[in-house]
Amino acid sequence: MNQADIHRVIEMAWEDKTSFHAIKEQYNLSESQVKDIMKRELKRSSYIMWRKRVIVIVIVVLLAQVYSTMSTEKTEQHKYQVLTTYDNVEIRKYEPAIFTSVKMRSKTYEESSGKGFRVLAGYIFGGNRSNESIAMTSPVTMELGETMTMKFMVPKGYDMNSLPEPNDKSITFEKQPEKIIAAIRFDGWANNEKIAKHIEILRDALAKAQIKHTNTFSYLGYNPPYEVINRRNEVVVEVIDYP
């Protein structure tokens, strides 16, 4: 690492808004390696001041994450029953549900997720003819393919007739029947590479178990963007002719 990179790492670490995760993504440095750089390059008094600030920030972030996790656990989820498992793959039976959805022409998760989320979030936060707020549910679904479709499950208490009309005409409603789904989980932050990797792992596991599927995969995200710990992600596909 050259001196210019070291100076930039110090600047990033000194900023309260920059996380160790962001530094690792850019410079491939662990938290302990960043601390070593700060200790070596800063005056002792400055290093001690920085460490105290980091400790305070970590405590505040952890408390916020605990509160956020508790809120996430209370969010209504699409209910399912686990029928069996194959290695890291679960075969689940999902209850019927209604979804709001929006289709996008982008071909990757990273290109589509932000736009799709904003459109559907706008609807449930009052962007409808009734100015009605609708509770958030979990998980957020992204159907993957030549076009991408993001879906929010509709909370219980609504039906196809009682849902308020969206202001955004690109939003549609979809009633899904009971389904048998194969799912594989991964942690951390989702991206195109991780999703593609787990699609292949899931596809290989189902082939090994001789389980047929639709070959239309979806990504499920369970956490809001501001949660940085205990993140849950899944890749799923509908199973065909499951016994």
Side-chain angles (χ1 to χ4, degrees), residues 209-227:
Q210 297 184 330
I211 297 175
K212 294 186 290 185
H213 56 85
T214 62
N215 205 39
T216 299
F217 293 85
S218 294
Y219 163 76
L220 306 184
Y222 287 79
N223 306 85
Y226 50 81
E227 280 191 11

Side-chain angles (χ1 to χ4, degrees), residues 216-240:
T216 299
F217 293 85
S218 294
Y219 163 76
L220 306 184
Y222 287 79
N223 306 85
Y226 50 81
E227 280 191 11
V228 298
I229 59 175
N230 297 324
R231 295 190 66 82
R232 176 183 176 185
N233 312 277
E234 292 174 343
V235 169
V236 302
V237 66
E238 185 176 0
V239 170
I240 300 173

Side-chain angles (χ1 to χ4, degrees), residues 155-184:
K156 290 189 182 300
Y158 289 93
D159 57 34
M160 297 289 282
N161 297 319
S162 62
L163 280 167
E165 182 180 347
N167 294 338
D168 189 326
K169 300 303 181 184
S170 66
I171 296 173
T172 59
F173 303 139
E174 176 184 346
K175 189 172 184 178
Q176 291 188 0
E178 179 181 273
K179 288 185 176 183
I180 306 296
I181 298 291
I184 188 168

Side-chain angles (χ1 to χ4, degrees), residues 98-118:
I98 298 173
F99 290 84
T100 59
S101 66
V102 59
K103 184 174 290 189
M104 292 153 291
R105 294 182 179 179
S106 306
K107 294 185 178 182
T108 69
Y109 163 80
E110 291 177 21
E111 290 176 351
S112 306
S113 58
K115 178 182 178 181
F117 189 91
R118 287 191 294 271

Side-chain angles (χ1 to χ4, degrees), residues 121-173:
Y123 169 69
I124 68 171
F125 294 149
N128 52 71
R129 290 292 181 89
S130 305
N131 296 319
E132 180 179 347
S133 292
I134 301 171
M136 186 68 193
T137 59
S138 178
V140 172
T141 301
M142 177 72 80
E143 188 175 294
L144 311 169
E146 288 301 311
T147 58
M148 312 290 278
T149 303
M150 177 165 278
K151 302 178 183 181
F152 286 5
M153 187 186 75
V154 174
K156 290 189 182 300
Y158 289 93
D159 57 34
M160 297 289 282
N161 297 319
S162 62
L163 280 167
E165 182 180 347
N167 294 338
D168 189 326
K169 300 303 181 184
S170 66
I171 296 173
T172 59
F173 303 139

